[in-house]
Each structure stands twice: as structure tokens, then as C-alpha cells.
Amino acid sequence: MYQVLENTLLAPNLHRMVVRAERVAAARKAGQFVIVHVDAGAERIPLTIGDANVAQGTITLYIQAIGASTQRIVAVPVGGYLRDVAGPLGQPTEIEDWGRVACVGGGVGTAVLFPMAKALADLGNEVTTIIGGRSEPYIILANELGAFSKDVRITTEDGSIGRKGFVTAELADLIADPARTPQAVFAVGPVPMMKAVAEQTRPFGIKTIVSLNPIMIDGTGMCGGCRVIAGGETKFACVDGPEFDGHAVDFTSLTDRLTMYREIEEQCRLETLKGAVND
Ligand code: NAD
Ligand code: FES
């Protein structure tokens, strides 16, 4: 059992949970994830390890509570327990001394981006961070990213903070500035965003890494649920990823697979809500 030490609402439907998981904290590397099983019979949910404190034996998880299972996880109060936290899983981020890198986070994807950006900065890269969201409440971790970024550029779709528009507008400016053009770009967020970033960098030959979030079940390469196509080959995001070369990913098939279970997911969410009302 894994005790919850902190459970904070960071943005609408987005919780930050600090969980005691000594072995995971000691072994994890940036870019890896865990699979959380909140209680008996619950769905297994993959969550990026947002940060870890080895001395305290804790890991930080960011959970977007949009479905029945994620709502059950965020409902665990401080002092409560998660039944299983399995990991660390997946390949760590390819951390190299690229020189100048751009880290681009869309919405909740910013939480997944955070450990990658931190590890890149720790190795001496000059990190420019671009984060975007629908409006100000959806902008997360700007101060935390600012602690090690050369600068943090913010975009919102309604212009409530930062530049009005998408993250790609800021990235275009960065690429166009010869003194700031990144040698590598790391992008995490909704699929259309990662696809747009990859198309933006392709003509310039800028190495682009994206973090994919297909449906996962076992997280160990056994079930095939997380398969994605990269470079024309079938890969399993849980063991070969979750990070891939953005220029090689087939984003169309990824989108199709992500929408396959939408109706069932909505049905489960409504049943959970109904159960909560009846309790
Ligand atoms: P959102 O839809 O509010 O978008 C956040 C920002 O991404 C936008 O403000 C914009 O700047 C950028 N963006 C979105 N579409 C774009 C486009 N077509 N072109 C350029 N930029 C674009 O994001 P959200 O609601 O916070 O995120 C939810 C989605 O992110 C879900 O689909 C979820 O599955 C996915 N997600 C992905 C990961 C991952 O590891 N890749 C992690 C968490 C969440
Ligand atoms: Fe089953 Fe990746 S989640 S193979």
C-alpha cells in the first residue's frame, strides 16, 4: 500500500499527489511512469512520475481526473492509500547535451514535460520553456519550470495570460531567431499539438521528441494495447517509449486508437457519478 502525503488541486480537474513509494523514487529516471491501481477491481492507470525525492522516499504524480478511474484516484485523501504503484516503467528520456533546447507543454502535458525539462537543464542545456493552455487557470508549473529555464513563454487561447494563441506561435518565433533556434525540441500535450510541433520543426531538421499517451493496460509489453506506429514499425509505448521521434510517429493512427473507447469511458464516468450521488 502506498500512502498519499499530499493531494492538491493545481488546475481544473488536475491534481498533484505526493505518494510514498521509496523504491520507485530511488530507481526512477526522467520520462518514466508508474501504473497505479487504486483499489481491488480498479482499472490500471499509467501516470508519469513528475518528480521524486529520494531522501523522503516520495514521488509526485499529476492526475487529470476526467474518467471514472482517475476520479477514484484523486478522491483518495491525504493519509489514505493507493493499492499498487508499479514502476518505474518505460524508457527514460534521451538526455544529451544538445546546447539549446525548447521544451513545449500543452495543458496537462506540461506536468509530463517537467521532469524532462529539469533533467535537460541539469545536464547543462539552455532550456527555453513554452507552455500553453485554454486560459490562465490551466497554466501550470510556470514558476517551477522558471527555476531552471532561460525563460518561460506562456500562451493562452483566450489571452487571459501571456500571448493569445497556441504554443506553436511562440515556437515559430524561437526557431526564427538565429540566436535562440533550438537544436532539439521536446513536446508533450494533446496529439494535435505534438503533431503541429513536429510539422513545424521538420523543415528545419530539428530533432523533435514527443511523449505519447496511448491506452495502456499492463504497461510491460504483454497486451499490445499501447501499440503505436513509428518509422513504419509497430512499437509498444510502454516498453519502447513513451518518448518517440516526433518526425517518425503516425499521429493519425494514434488519434484513431485514442478515440476507440470514448463511448464506454463516458458510460463508466456517468455510472461513477450516479454511484456517488446515491451513496
Ligand atoms: P488543451 O486541449 O487545453 O490544449 C493545451 C494547449 O495545447 C493549447 O492551449 C495549445 O497551446 C496547445 N494545442 C492544442 N491543440 C493544438 C494544435 N492543434 N496546434 C498547436 N497547439 C495546440 O489540453 P488539455 O485539455 O490540458 O490536454 C488534454 C489532452 O492532452 C488529452 O487529450 C490528454 O490525453 C493529452 N495528454 C497527453 C499527455 C502526453 O503524455 N502526451 C499527457 C497528458 C495529457
Ligand atoms: Fe500492454 Fe504496452 S500496455 S503492451
Side-chain angles (χ1 to χ4, degrees), residues 215-226 236 238:
I215 292 159
M216 286 191 189
I217 302 161
D218 62 301
T220 58
M222 307 280 282
C223 70
C226 67
F236 290 167
C238 67

Side-chain angles (χ1 to χ4, degrees), residues 139-272:
I139 297 297
I140 56 166
L141 303 174
N143 291 337
E144 290 86 342
L145 286 158
F148 51 76
S149 301
K150 183 174 170 72
D151 62 323
V152 177
R153 303 180 180 195
I154 295 174
T155 65
T156 47
E157 288 162 49
D158 65 357
S160 50
I161 184 173
R163 177 177 181 163
K164 187 170 181 185
F166 281 176
V167 284
T168 36
E170 278 298 333
L171 182 60
D173 283 358
L174 197 69
I175 292 172
D177 178 351
R180 301 292 300 275
T181 309
Q183 273 89 39
V185 172
F186 292 75
V188 193
V191 174
M193 180 212 114
M194 295 190 287
K195 182 176 180 207
V197 167
E199 289 315 319
Q200 230 179 338
T201 55
R202 193 193 298 274
F204 301 96
I206 300 171
K207 173 92 174 173
T208 299
I209 304 289
V210 295
S211 178
L212 304 185
N213 63 328
I215 292 159
M216 286 191 189
I217 302 161
D218 62 301
T220 58
M222 307 280 282
C223 70
C226 67
R227 62 187 180 274
V228 294
I229 300 172
E233 288 177 30
T234 297
K235 302 275 183 189
F236 290 167
C238 67
V239 288
D240 300 316
E243 290 163 27
F244 290 93
D245 175 353
H247 298 150
V249 170
D250 178 345
F251 287 103
T252 308
S253 68
L254 177 64
T255 306
D256 290 347
R257 288 187 61 77
L258 278 169
T259 49
M260 262 166 74
Y261 300 104
R262 198 148 278 175
E263 263 179 48
I264 299 172
E265 282 168 8
E266 181 57 11
Q267 233 170 6
C268 289
R269 192 185 68 80
L270 293 175
E271 274 163 26
T272 306

